[in-house]
């Protein structure tokens, strides 16, 4: 069964959301949303600290601690993870896994350091992909603000070699648009990757869910805005997954 | 019941701690092996590589203390690598020795690209590692007394549990294998038991209501 992951971009304790990583606004208290998702049977949660990268350190310890007091599904925490110590701190606050983007691009050996110390299962590499050409995507950092010149497909290959346990693949162009996921992108990465690929960005309907699984080969889906604004609920997502060929 | 959670330096023990508290017990983190004997129920979490976990376990003096504890017949639950450690050894770290409470070896699971059988029948879903996700567990029909050992009381056969692992135990004794989970061609030992010692490959502390139920059942044993 394809996993459904609730994705919450947070600033401190507040849930925020933008479109294509721009025009970010506050939606509400993150924990209120998480409680609701947990009660409706979400499989996992991902917190992305949207401001941590700017300050160079994660700042969601308090939110994490409160979350894992009452939510008993896996929680991934990301944003501003640059060192093994950052990882240790997030794990000790209750995260099961960490998501890393900028820190891993700047220092790829961080991936193997974390995998050696805490296990591959706790390393989720977050890739923010922006399309540059037909079947070409570039990896971005700093919440979709800065280009790196790195090809997404090559980077995905490399992070797997270095010991990543999962790839969280966000299509920047689709993010927050409800226009459907980036099927060719997800398909390309997922087809060669031997580790699970979580597709994120653009999901706005049950059809988007099915397409990402059957045509995009996604192993899991990270859904943000469509859950926050109740455009989709867990029952309809679960039903859509059940009806797929690959995900049910 | 005095529930202790082993704190030997690996893994996310906070989630186990919170889950046990959530089901109405007051667990204590045990970082000193000498304190094991004060408890009636011990939970041993574990994530990361088998070799590293066994190394820490041994260095901090837990290996001998746990062996002593197990002799007393009190209750013990190993989770994930904490469960794998109950076996004799693992292909992941051939030099490291497990506790040997369960007969058998921990082996790497196999991936596959082609058509594989899943619980729902044929599917062209690719089998990737690590195995991450929610799966049902199936009682082992080859187990003589087919005992669910009380751990699965009020757990529904449709309930799913959260797995995240690359290696899985391969028990020699059918009697120690309580439940299995199919992942591609892999028949995972998802729940094992020997007398009052139990192991789950999945993470009950991360498996929502079903997992909480199992943890509650464990803490109520005896």
């Amino acid at each position: 069964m394809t996993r459904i992951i609730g994705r919450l971009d947070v600033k401190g304790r507040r849930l925020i959301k933008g479109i294509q990583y721009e025009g970010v606004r506050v939606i509400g208290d993150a924990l209120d949303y998480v409680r609701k998702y947990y009660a409706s049977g979400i499989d996992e949660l991902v917190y992305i600290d949207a401001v941590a990268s700017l300050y160079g350190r994660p700042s969601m310890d308090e939110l994490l601690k409160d979350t894992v007091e009452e939510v008993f599904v896996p929680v991934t925490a990301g944003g501003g993870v640059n060192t093994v110590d950052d990882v240790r701190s997030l794990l000790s606050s209750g995260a099961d896994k960490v998501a890393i983007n900028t820190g891993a691009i700047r220092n790829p050996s961080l991936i193997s350091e974390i995998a050696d110390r805490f296990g591959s299962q706790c390393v989720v590499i977050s890739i923010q992909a922006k399309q540059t050409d037909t079947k070409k995507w570039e990896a971005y950092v700093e919440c979709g603000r800065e280009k790196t010149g790195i090809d997404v497909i090559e980077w995905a290959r490399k992070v797997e070699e270095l010991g990543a346990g999962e790839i969280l693949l966000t299509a920047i162009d689709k993010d927050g648009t409800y226009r459907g996921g980036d099927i060719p992108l997800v398909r390309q990465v997922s087809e060669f990757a031997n580790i699970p690929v979580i597709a994120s960005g653009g999901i706005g309907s049950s059809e988007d869910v099915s397409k990402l699984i059957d045509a995009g080969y996604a192993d899991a889906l990270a859904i943000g805005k469509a859950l926050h604004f109740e455009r989709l609920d867990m029952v309809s997502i679960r039903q859509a997954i059940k009806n797929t060929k690959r995900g049910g | 019941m005095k529930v202790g959670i082993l704190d030997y330096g690996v893994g996310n023990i906070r989630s186990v701690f919170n889950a046990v508290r959530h089901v109405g017990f007051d667990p204590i983190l045990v970082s000193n092996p000498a304190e094991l004997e004060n408890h009636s129920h011990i939970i041993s979490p574990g994530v990361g590589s088998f070799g590293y976990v066994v190394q820490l376990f041994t260095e901090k003096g837990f290996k001998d203390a746990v062996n002593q504890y197990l002799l007393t017949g009190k209750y013990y639950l190993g989770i994930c690598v904490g469960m794998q450690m109950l076996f004799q050894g693992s292909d992941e770290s051939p030099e490291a020795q497990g506790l040997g409470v369960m007969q058998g070896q921990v082996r790497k699971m196999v991936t596959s690209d082609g058509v594989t059988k899943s619980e729902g029948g044929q599917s062209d879903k690719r089998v990737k590692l690590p195995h991450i996700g929610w799966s049902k567990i199936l009682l082992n029909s080859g187990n003589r007394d087919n005992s669910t050992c009380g751990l699965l009381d009020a757990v529904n056969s449709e309930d799913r549990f959260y797995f995240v692992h690359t290696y899985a135990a391969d028990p020699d004794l059918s009697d120690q294998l309580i439940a299995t989970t199919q992942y591609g061609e892999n028949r995972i030992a998802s729940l094992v038991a020997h007398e009052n010692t139990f192991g789950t490959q999945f993470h009950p502390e991360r498996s929502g209501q079903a997992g909480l139920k199992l943890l509650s059942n464990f803490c109520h044993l005896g």
Side-chain angles (χ1 to χ4, degrees):
Chain A
M1 183 77 85
T2 305
R3 282 175 289 151
I4 310 167
I5 303 173
R7 174 179 175 148
L8 294 95
D9 292 52
V10 295
K11 191 174 174 181
R13 305 182 66 94
R14 285 170 301 175
L15 172 63
I16 59 166
K17 190 67 197 121
I19 295 173
Q20 293 161 343
Y21 284 94
E22 302 281 344
V24 169
R25 67 180 184 91
V26 174
I27 299 175
D29 181 78
L31 203 51
D32 288 342
Y33 284 80
V34 156
R35 283 189 187 117
K36 196 173 71 177
Y37 301 156
Y38 178 62
S40 65
I42 199 100
D43 291 332
E44 280 187 52
L45 296 164
V46 172
Y47 281 133
I48 301 291
D49 190 333
V51 290
S53 241
L54 296 176
Y55 303 130
R57 62 185 158 77
S59 63
M60 62 167 97
D61 283 8
E62 207 189 314
L63 173 62
L64 267 177
K65 282 179 183 159
D66 290 349
T67 302
V68 298
E69 292 257 330
E70 45 184 305
V71 164
F72 301 100
V73 295
V75 178
T76 300
V81 177
N82 289 302
T83 65
V84 168
D85 273 342
D86 291 338
V87 176
R88 187 176 291 117
S89 154
L90 288 171
L91 295 184
S92 70
S93 296
D96 299 283
K97 324 177 199 182
V98 293
I100 317 171
N101 177 21
T102 310
I105 288 202
R106 284 197 191 127
N107 173 22
S109 65
L110 181 64
I111 300 172
S112 31
E113 279 171 44
I114 299 168
D116 288 346
R117 177 70 180 76
F118 305 101
S120 280
Q121 84 292 330
C122 102
V123 191
V124 180
I125 293 300
S126 163
I127 302 181
Q128 293 163 5
K130 199 166 171 58
Q131 186 151 22
T132 51
D133 206 339
T134 320
K135 297 225 161 188
K136 268 281 199 209
W137 294 266
E138 182 180 344
Y140 271 59
V141 292
E142 305 291 355
C143 299
R145 281 188 294 268
E146 273 180 40
K147 26 169 85 189
T148 63
I150 296 172
D151 179 73
V152 164
I153 311 296
E154 270 163 38
W155 176 233
R157 204 181 299 269
K158 186 162 179 193
V159 304
E160 180 179 328
E161 271 171 29
L162 289 169
E166 283 176 276
I167 292 171
L168 169 61
L169 183 60
T170 307
I172 296 179
D173 307 294
K174 307 285 184 178
D175 179 57
T177 64
Y178 294 146
R179 283 193 214 125
D182 191 333
I183 308 294
L185 167 71
V186 175
R187 171 79 167 248
Q188 270 212 24
V189 177
S190 189
E191 239 178 348
F192 80 79
N194 297 300
I195 55 177
V197 174
I198 307 160
S200 176
I203 298 168
S205 69
S206 296
E207 206 191 351
D208 297 340
V209 168
S210 334
K211 273 192 190 157
L212 274 167
I213 296 168
D214 276 341
Y217 293 10
D219 298 295
L221 304 175
I223 309 179
K225 200 173 166 187
L227 281 177
H228 308 335
F229 292 105
E230 298 181 344
R231 193 179 166 102
L232 281 174
D233 59 37
M234 289 301 293
V235 175
S236 55
I237 299 169
R238 198 70 85 186
Q239 192 55 49
I241 292 175
K242 235 175 216 165
N243 294 338
T244 60
K245 283 202 286 289
R246 298 175 60 88
Chain B
M1 315 293 171
K2 296 195 73 176
V3 182
I5 298 167
L6 299 190
D7 181 8
Y8 54 96
V10 289
N12 177 356
I13 51 172
R14 180 182 286 268
S15 59
V16 178
F17 183 86
N18 287 339
V20 170
R21 227 175 34 178
H22 193 81
V23 298
F25 292 85
D26 200 8
I28 287 167
L29 296 183
V30 181
S31 52
N32 176 3
E35 288 168 14
L36 242 76
E37 58 181 24
N38 304 334
H39 299 273
S40 57
H41 294 67
I42 287 289
I43 300 175
S44 172
V47 293
S49 81
F50 186 89
Y52 184 63
V53 172
V54 167
Q55 184 197 330
L56 276 183
F57 207 73
T58 311
E59 276 173 10
K60 307 230 163 140
F62 277 105
K63 201 167 181 178
D64 293 337
V66 165
N67 276 324
Q68 282 297 317
Y69 173 89
L70 294 176
L71 286 176
T72 64
K74 293 196 270 191
Y75 296 94
Y76 189 90
L77 172 65
I79 297 172
C80 197
V81 181
M83 171 255 207
Q84 296 180 0
M85 220 165 35
L86 293 169
F87 286 80
Q88 291 162 306
S90 170
D91 291 354
E92 186 177 16
S93 320
E95 72 293 343
Q97 257 195 331
L99 290 162
V101 180
M102 309 284 172
Q103 301 283 308
Q105 182 79 359
V106 177
R107 303 186 194 285
K108 188 162 186 175
M109 292 189 281
V110 294
T111 53
S112 61
D113 292 329
V115 176
T116 54
K117 279 197 187 116
S118 68
E119 357 171 301
Q122 294 281 310
S123 128
D124 65 348
K125 196 170 161 59
R126 184 154 163 217
V127 175
K128 294 181 173 184
L129 291 179
H131 167 220
I132 305 180
W134 293 71
S135 301
K136 290 183 221 172
I137 63 172
L138 184 72
L139 288 179
N140 170 25
S141 54
N143 191 321
R144 253 185 308 156
D145 54 3
N146 207 0
S147 121
T148 63
C149 48
L151 245 61
L152 298 176
D153 285 357
V155 172
N156 192 298
S157 63
E158 290 300 303
D159 284 338
R160 289 170 186 269
F161 295 90
Y162 180 75
F163 290 77
V164 48
H165 61 127
T166 303
Y167 291 80
D170 182 10
D172 289 345
L173 305 178
S174 181
D175 285 354
Q176 295 186 337
L177 181 60
I178 303 293
T180 61
T181 293
Q182 198 70 30
Y183 179 61
E185 293 164 27
N186 306 285
R187 184 172 176 253
I188 299 160
S190 38
L191 177 59
V192 295
H194 174 66
E195 293 169 357
N196 292 335
T197 304
F198 307 93
T200 62
Q201 179 59 63
F202 53 84
H203 288 266
E205 78 283 10
R206 280 307 184 225
S207 298
Q209 292 305 320
L212 292 173
K213 188 70 218 168
L214 187 146
L215 284 174
S216 168
N217 288 342
F218 172 75
C219 295
H220 277 107
L221 288 174

